[in-house]
Amino acid sequence: MRTKWFMVPAWSAIALLLVSPAPGRGSPERVDLAATAQRLDTLYVRIAGHRAERQAAELINYHRVEGGVARCMWAAGRPFRARPFASGYDEFTDADLGFGSGRGSVADSITDRGRSIILHQVAAARLAPTGVLDSWGPTRPADVATLNRCTAPYQHQLYLGVDPPAGVYPLSGFPGLLDAAERDPAVIAAMRPYRACMKNRYGYDVAERTDFLFQPRISYRDAPRDGRPPAAAWTRGVRRIHAAFDADVACRLPAYRIALRLIAARLPAWERRHRKEIDAVRAAWKQRVAQARHLPRTIS
């Protein structure tokens, strides 16, 4: 795996994306692809939740899971220390929650550079000392059976995570829009040289693109935290993430440009078709925020 930076090919090409001819036209109708990407990001956040909305859903889930387990243990006369609420989104802003690079789609962000991967590991470094990542806390052998019974209704999962409103999962994939763009013959043809590009220009053997992009390169154990500088392994890993995503952008760029032009032409109609569903999701997110507004951040 390479460790040097290959920024110039990707970012020089990105500058050319600001205005691009529309597909299938004899004369050059101009399409602002950066604006299309921003519109896609904005719509995705409206569907999948703003930071405050996701944190509200986390807090509700905290009271459902951590609170439910605590009440079950206490009702059985068993000791249980409920941890204070901690969010997995403190490090994020709404700008970090757009369509981004989470799907391995041809339309993934060309500016994300793996940022969401890095932020999740920074968040994990903050959360790890609280024990909420992988433990219910110290448990006496005599209490294990009761704890298992009390956590069973929640599939033995901890509270971290967001249970989104109904409709979010299917809508956030932009059905009939992204899949249609990815199936377009011009997009398929433009992606065909991708593997050879990654190998010949950057030295990466890419069997499956998402596996390549999201393979572990950093660990939260090496992340900066509480004023502590990052370990050398963290710095090397972040450079490798940036290098991998930069190479991906450079080799995906021709297909990305075609896909974004197709999406630009179809996105307004897609929004109109799904307006009622989007409005219902927005109302549900707002209800989550209202429900969480007066919830305490501890269980007692």
Side-chain angles (χ1 to χ4, degrees):
M1 179 178 293
R2 71 186 183 93
T3 57
K4 64 185 295 186
W5 297 69
F6 285 86
M7 292 286 291
V8 174
W11 304 115
S12 295
I14 287 169
L16 302 176
L17 291 178
L18 295 177
V19 180
S20 184
R25 302 282 184 176
S27 59
E29 177 185 345
R30 313 305 279 182
V31 175
D32 186 337
L33 300 188
T36 300
Q38 180 59 54
R39 185 173 181 180
L40 193 65
D41 275 354
T42 300
L43 184 55
Y44 181 82
V45 172
R46 282 179 52 78
I47 294 169
H50 296 269
R51 174 179 180 262
E53 293 164 347
R54 295 189 187 199
Q55 289 182 310
E58 282 183 313
L59 184 56
I60 292 168
N61 206 41
Y62 167 75
H63 280 271
R64 182 180 72 89
V65 177
E66 190 87 3
V69 172
R71 288 187 291 273
C72 176
M73 291 290 286
W74 294 336
R78 303 292 186 175
F80 182 81
R81 184 183 68 85
R83 284 75 57 91
F85 171 73
S87 169
Y89 286 98
D90 285 357
E91 287 75 14
F92 290 76
T93 68
D94 282 350
D96 301 314
L97 298 175
F99 190 73
S101 298
R103 293 181 179 274
S105 162
V106 70
D108 278 355
S109 169
I110 56 173
T111 59
D112 175 80
R113 303 187 74 212
R115 178 169 171 77
S116 60
I117 297 172
I118 297 166
L119 288 177
H120 278 298
Q121 291 298 315
V122 172
R126 172 177 52 82
L127 293 169
T130 70
V132 301
L133 292 183
D134 56 7
S135 172
W136 288 99
T139 305
R140 302 179 309 186
D143 298 327
V144 169
T146 304
L147 180 63
N148 286 338
R149 175 174 60 79
C150 290
T151 59
Y154 315 105
Q155 293 74 52
H156 309 288
Q157 299 295 309
L158 299 156
Y159 73 83
L160 280 177
V162 173
D163 182 20
V168 165
Y169 284 131
L171 270 182
S172 63
F174 298 101
L177 179 68
L178 291 181
D179 51 350
E182 290 190 320
R183 291 195 306 266
D184 187 88
V187 174
I188 293 172
M191 275 298 286
R192 200 165 286 130
Y194 175 84
R195 290 178 64 185
C197 174
M198 293 293 283
K199 176 63 175 177
N200 297 335
R201 292 179 62 183
Y202 300 104
Y204 292 119
D205 285 307
V206 181
E208 204 284 323
R209 183 169 160 253
T210 53
D211 288 346
F212 164 73
L213 289 176
F214 305 115
Q215 65 181 263
R217 294 182 175 96
I218 53 176
S219 168
Y220 71 86
R221 294 177 178 85
D222 299 319
R225 183 171 63 85
D226 297 334
R228 182 191 69 191
W234 175 268
T235 303
R236 288 193 302 271
V238 168
R239 287 175 179 166
R240 289 169 179 160
I241 289 172
H242 288 164
F245 276 79
D246 290 347
D248 172 75
V249 167
C251 293
R252 179 169 49 94
L253 202 53
Y256 174 89
R257 296 178 71 175
I258 298 169
L260 262 286
R261 292 198 298 267
L262 293 169
I263 289 168
R266 299 166 181 173
L267 186 55
W270 189 92
E271 285 192 73
R272 288 193 298 271
R273 285 197 306 273
H274 295 279
R275 175 54 52 200
K276 289 184 178 180
E277 298 158 90
I278 294 170
D279 288 346
V281 163
R282 292 303 312 145
W285 277 122
K286 290 177 182 178
Q287 195 277 331
R288 298 283 176 94
V289 172
Q291 181 182 348
R293 184 168 292 126
H294 302 296
L295 290 176
R297 297 172 70 89
T298 57
I299 302 293
S300 58

